Amino acid sequence: MNQSILQVRDLRVYYHTNDGAVKAANGVTFDLRIGERLGLVGESGSGKSTIAMALMRLIKPPGKIEGGQVLLDGVSLLDLPEEKMRQMRLKEIALVAQGAMNSLNPVMRVRPQIECALRDHDVKLSSIALSDRINELLDMVGLRRNVADLYPHELSGGMKQRVCIAIAICLRPKVIIADEPTSALDVVVQRQVMETLKTLGKALGASIILIGHDMGLMAQAVDRIGVMYAGDLVETGSVAEVFADPIHPYTKLLIASLPTLERKEAARGIPGLAPSLRNRPVRCPFQPRCPVAIDRCQTEEPILREARPMREVACHLYSSESSRVMEAS
Amino acid sequence: MTALLEARRLTKVYGGGLFNKSKALVALDDLSLAIEDAPPTITAVVGESGSGKTTFKRLLLGLSEPTTGEVLYRGVDLRRLDRDQRRQFLRDVQAIFQDPDEVYNPFYKIDHVLQAPVANFGLASSKAQALALIEQALVSVGLRPEETLGRYPYQLSGGQRQRIMVARSLIMSPRLIIADEPVSMVDASLRATIIDTLRDLNRRLGISIIYISHDLTTAYQLSENIVVLYRGGVAEAGAIDRVVQQPEHPYTRLLIGAVPLPDPKRPWGHVENVVEETEKVRAERKGCLFANRCPHRMPMCDEARPPQFQTAPHHVTACYLYRESSATTSTTLQQNFVDRSNLAPS
Ligand SMILES: Nc1ncnc2c1ncn2[C@@H]1O[C@H](COP(=O)(O)OP(=O)(O)OP(=O)(O)O)[C@@H](O)[C@H]1O
Ligand SMILES: Nc1ncnc2c1ncn2[C@@H]1O[C@H](COP(=O)(O)OP(=O)(O)OP(=O)(O)O)[C@@H](O)[C@H]1O
Ligand SMILES: [Mg+2]
Ligand SMILES: [Mg+2]
């Protein structure tokens, strides 16, 4: 269970704009374990989709993967020739992209859209086997079989998202990345889609990276969570521990800002603005908004390190020599 | 007093025509709601995807014509506004669109969507003043002007684009903001910031808000009253505190039960396992639209749509479980709403 299927090391992705590079992924390092569901959360613009696209090697100019390593089951994805990488997609690692349900082809029924994905990967099946396969996929994502013969506009949002998931799993990938798969859906459908993803992950033995900003959804859907801030991970840990006892000041404020139906109160946002991803000064990116920053935070960028067993955090308050400062505060 | 904006028995049917209901899709069914100019109110319109929220918004803005019923701006049907009234309407009533991409032209810089209203309505007398106005609006939604202006839409993340839409509506100093899913793409802390911004606009500038969302939690935090839509019809409406604490319609209860708690130790309970209906099946249903998913389904539910029953002074529910209460006599929903002056200060 502790073996990693995916190892991401120091992943860097920059978007080169006229006025400098936007460092959207700035040295991201994490592991995805076999069978695990990992949640990536972080504010809008923190680089979540960028990481998803980079893992698939689908970053488009002016974006560029500047460095780092991505090992999928030991294979270094960033070093593969494009043709090999194309074969890995869907088969080994699949993405349900942000807004995917709106990019289904509107003039094509569902069946040919799934067939296309299979054919792209030279899966040669007799027409009966193909039809069986599509039925099986629809069953797996909880759709009626007749959905194959409908057009996207005849489907509800939740159904469209399920079609996208069916396409993503059609070759039984080992890793499924779902980028905000339920953000556009209402809570009832959201929950059903999440349950489907969970069940599927188990049935296929696949590991899942779930990207989102809804902490409530994460609390219910993943095993482990990684909190992103300004292009980098600032905290990781089991979802139970991170919620019960967040370490990084950003995570603490994020959890405190969650509204509930149990209390009516002005939930407070985190004051200040997200930092620029260009011209990053050497300091902790959260320092300008951090209520407990110390001098060191202005001059040195903290790196993600183990704070406790199975818990990592990037914060100077938790590095060994200043641990007493932290206890005192 | 004439309302600022009033929906009277608003119905929108797509396709099929009014008399061929089997082919038609009733996107909005007989909704009446008025927003007064004062006191400023915040009303939530909540419902799942496809429940008619955006349809309602488009009708209120005059972007689409009702099949039956009408929308009145200061007492005049939107279709009959004269030039000056129309101009005033376009300033008074602002919209924040659900899909910011509908508004952005990929070939124009972000600046364009912000400058256009300033220019069209002569809001500034100099370039510097225009810029100040725009910058102020950006900062109030948590964006850095120097890093937002001069960029193209594709250079910003989805959440950033959405916030620009909020900023844009602020520039016009409107009387009413109709916000369609303004926070669906942003994270919790930013969500709280945008909700705070909307609340602040309401309290400080007296702007009324119609908050359209499928997110019940933020609706609860922000609003005084709520309309729960299910497939175009009003399932339940009234004072939001009461509706959330004592939900009546089985759909509202389902909705509240499915809100994920931000606490891994308190998992989601039982999962309702519905097979979703296609658009065609749902168009043909003649009884209660929720019947196929309802745990309390009775024979009468399949025969005719339930009327709205008045279950409490500030609460109406369209469900036969409440048939002991009398059907409501109010002609528009806000007659069931609470006034902020009745509420404890928050
Ligand atoms: N083509 C591009 N050119 C320039 N900058 C870009 C481009 N695409 C993304 N960015 C910038 O990179 C950063 C990360 O974007 P990304 O889409 O990964 O964020 P995200 O965390 O997925 O946000 P959201 O929650 O809004 O989807 C943002 O600041 C964004 O403005
Ligand atoms: N132009 C149109 N032609 C035909 N049907 C339409 C049109 N616009 C909307 N509909 C249908 O009307 C119903 C209500 O749609 P609407 O967009 O108002 O829902 P919504 O509540 O805003 O949903 P969401 O939460 O997904 O935004 C849906 O079934 C939709 O498919
Ligand atoms: Mg994204
Ligand atoms: Mg909508």
Side-chain angles (χ1 to χ4, degrees):
Chain A
M1 180 69 192
N2 264 342
Q3 237 177 321
S4 297
I5 177 81
L6 187 73
Q7 292 169 294
V8 179
R9 295 287 173 270
D10 199 32
L11 182 64
R12 286 169 195 279
V13 183
Y14 299 171
Y15 294 99
H16 297 277
T17 64
N18 286 341
D19 28 23
V22 176
K23 303 184 175 177
N26 197 39
V28 174
T29 295
F30 67 90
D31 276 24
L32 176 68
R33 305 196 185 107
I34 292 177
E36 172 180 67
R37 285 187 305 272
L38 171 70
L40 284 185
V41 294
E43 57 192 325
S44 155
S46 60
K48 303 180 297 293
S49 297
T50 300
I51 291 179
M53 297 303 272
L55 296 180
M56 300 295 294
R57 263 185 53 192
L58 289 172
I59 295 281
K60 300 213 173 64
K64 186 165 178 284
I65 300 178
E66 302 285 331
Q69 233 190 358
V70 178
L71 295 179
L72 175 64
D73 218 0
V75 178
S76 174
L77 295 187
L78 302 186
D79 297 322
L80 289 179
E82 177 49 37
E83 176 54 26
K84 277 262 156 49
M85 185 63 213
R86 197 182 65 83
Q87 290 167 9
M88 299 290 275
R89 291 187 201 118
L90 282 190
K91 209 161 168 186
E92 304 287 327
I93 181 166
L95 170 69
V96 182
Q98 188 167 10
M101 62 185 231
N102 299 321
S103 52
L104 287 171
N105 186 338
V107 296
M108 218 191 221
R109 294 179 203 268
V110 168
R111 182 186 306 281
Q113 305 207 39
I114 302 180
E115 283 172 1
C116 260
L118 289 166
R119 213 169 293 126
D120 266 0
H121 285 265
D122 312 314
V123 177
K124 297 211 173 58
L125 293 170
S126 67
S127 62
I128 295 174
L130 192 60
S131 167
D132 284 351
R133 182 69 161 274
I134 289 171
N135 285 340
E136 182 197 10
L137 286 167
L138 293 173
D139 289 348
M140 287 182 85
V141 297
L143 286 172
R144 288 209 192 111
R145 292 176 173 190
N146 68 348
V147 166
D149 300 309
L150 299 177
Y151 288 99
H153 72 261
E154 297 178 279
L155 308 176
S156 70
M159 292 162 95
K160 279 189 273 189
Q161 196 56 269
R162 284 167 196 269
V163 170
C164 294
I165 296 173
I167 292 174
I169 61 163
C170 71
L171 295 176
R172 303 179 165 268
K174 298 192 186 100
V175 173
I176 303 169
I177 307 171
D179 190 356
E180 311 253 7
T182 61
S183 298
L185 307 174
D186 65 280
V187 282
V188 179
V189 181
Q190 183 175 57
R191 172 168 168 183
Q192 291 160 357
V193 171
M194 287 319 303
E195 293 294 335
T196 304
L197 260 179
K198 266 187 175 178
T199 323
L200 272 176
K202 285 194 191 121
L204 297 173
S207 311
I208 297 178
I209 298 180
L210 180 69
I211 293 175
H213 54 251
D214 185 336
M215 293 291 274
L217 195 65
M218 288 293 169
Q220 301 298 333
V222 302
D223 309 311
R224 215 155 56 87
I225 194 165
V227 181
M228 303 259 321
Y229 191 78
D232 212 344
L233 280 166
V234 296
E235 177 158 7
T236 69
S238 80
V239 72
E241 283 187 45
V242 171
F243 273 85
D245 183 17
I247 302 178
H248 196 283
Y250 172 65
T251 319
K252 285 184 179 168
L253 289 170
L254 188 61
I255 289 176
S257 72
L258 299 175
T260 75
L261 282 178
E262 293 174 338
R263 265 166 293 118
K264 192 161 186 168
E265 57 182 13
R268 261 164 306 118
I270 304 176
L273 300 183
S276 166
L277 299 179
R278 272 176 279 175
N279 324 315
R280 300 170 59 115
V282 182
R283 63 155 186 235
C284 169
F286 192 58
Q287 181 267 339
R289 300 169 82 183
C290 183
V292 291
I294 52 176
D295 285 349
R296 191 173 164 202
C297 307
Q298 291 182 41
T299 54
E300 195 185 325
E301 182 158 353
I303 51 169
L304 191 69
R305 64 174 89 209
E306 191 157 75
R308 292 174 206 164
M310 315 297 285
R311 290 291 296 278
E312 294 170 313
V313 64
C315 175
H316 289 311
L317 292 176
Y318 296 88
S319 64
S320 48
E321 63 265 40
S322 51
S323 55
R324 254 174 293 125
V325 179
M326 167 217 106
E327 300 302 345
S329 72
Chain B
M1 200 178 78
T2 12
L4 176 66
L5 196 66
E6 178 173 1
R8 274 202 198 145
R9 309 213 57 180
L10 214 49
T11 296
K12 179 73 182 181
V13 180
Y14 287 113
L18 191 55
F19 300 102
N20 181 5
K21 288 222 167 170
S22 67
K23 280 242 178 76
L25 187 123
V26 184
L28 195 68
D29 191 10
D30 197 8
L31 187 69
S32 297
L33 178 70
I35 303 295
E36 307 293 335
D37 203 2
T41 55
I42 308 185
T43 309
V45 177
V46 170
E48 66 180 356
S49 182
S51 57
K53 304 185 296 296
T54 299
T55 301
F56 180 48
K57 178 200 69 178
R58 292 180 54 84
L59 291 168
L60 286 181
L61 292 170
L63 296 175
S64 145
E65 287 213 1
T67 310
T68 60
E70 56 193 347
V71 179
L72 307 176
Y73 166 66
R74 299 193 191 274
V76 184
D77 190 313
L78 287 189
R79 289 167 288 197
R80 281 191 290 278
L81 296 178
D82 66 28
R83 230 186 97 109
D84 286 349
Q85 288 168 327
R86 175 136 196 96
R87 212 175 148 74
Q88 195 56 42
F89 169 73
L90 291 175
R91 278 201 65 168
D92 272 356
V93 180
Q94 286 301 311
I96 299 172
F97 285 80
Q98 169 174 23
D99 180 5
D101 303 336
E102 277 178 41
V103 177
Y104 293 115
N105 179 328
F107 302 110
Y108 286 121
K109 291 182 177 167
I110 291 297
D111 313 36
H112 186 80
V113 297
L114 296 167
Q115 281 159 354
V118 180
N120 293 346
F121 289 87
L123 301 179
S125 53
S126 68
K127 267 206 158 134
Q129 203 190 346
L131 186 64
L133 205 60
I134 290 171
E135 288 186 347
Q136 189 191 344
L138 288 172
V139 170
S140 63
V141 296
L143 290 170
R144 288 166 195 280
E146 70 277 16
E147 282 172 18
T148 313
L149 298 174
R151 292 236 229 162
Y152 289 95
Y154 64 86
Q155 293 176 319
L156 298 165
S157 76
Q160 289 167 331
R161 285 202 292 271
Q162 211 164 23
R163 274 181 289 162
I164 289 172
M165 294 320 302
V166 181
R168 180 178 188 257
S169 75
L170 294 184
I171 291 176
M172 307 281 271
S173 23
R175 302 300 308 143
L176 170 66
I177 292 181
I178 305 179
D180 191 2
E181 304 280 6
V183 297
S184 70
M185 279 150 83
V186 307
D187 64 291
S189 90
L190 208 57
R191 204 176 271 216
T193 307
I194 293 180
I195 294 298
D196 278 349
T197 310
L198 291 175
R199 186 187 289 114
D200 181 57
L201 297 174
N202 174 261
R203 302 286 140 97
R204 200 165 43 86
L205 305 175
I207 301 174
S208 286
I209 291 167
I210 298 181
Y211 181 78
I212 299 180
S213 181
H214 61 244
D215 180 15
L216 196 59
T217 317
T218 48
Y220 175 61
Q221 299 296 334
L222 181 65
S223 324
E224 294 122 34
N225 293 292
I226 186 172
V227 177
V228 180
L229 284 183
Y230 185 75
R231 299 195 170 173
V234 175
E236 184 162 0
I240 200 165
D241 288 355
R242 189 177 148 99
V243 171
V244 166
Q245 279 147 25
Q246 298 171 59
E248 292 177 339
H249 199 286
Y251 172 63
T252 317
R253 289 192 233 154
L254 177 70
L255 209 56
I256 290 176
V259 171
L261 291 173
D263 182 353
K265 287 190 297 251
R266 293 163 63 196
W268 268 327
H270 168 73
V271 186
E272 177 218 28
N273 203 2
V274 291
V275 180
E276 289 178 65
E277 281 182 328
T278 59
E279 300 294 340
K280 183 167 173 293
V281 175
R282 87 187 231 194
E284 284 163 5
R285 188 173 296 284
K286 71 175 191 293
C288 171
L289 291 168
F290 187 66
N292 68 312
R293 293 169 70 178
C294 186
H296 307 286
R297 187 177 191 165
M298 302 175 282
M300 71 175 81
C301 304
D302 291 315
E303 276 149 32
R305 296 278 157 86
Q308 289 171 15
F309 295 103
Q310 186 90 49
T311 56
H314 299 296
H315 204 161
V316 290
T317 300
C319 170
Y320 288 119
L321 290 177
Y322 304 91
R323 61 190 182 282
E324 316 263 89
S325 310
S326 54
T328 178
T329 52
S330 51
T331 47
T332 102
L333 284 175
Q334 84 280 355
Q335 291 172 3
N336 303 297
F337 286 173
V338 285
D339 197 317
R340 187 174 303 149
S341 53
N342 298 339
L343 298 173
S346 65

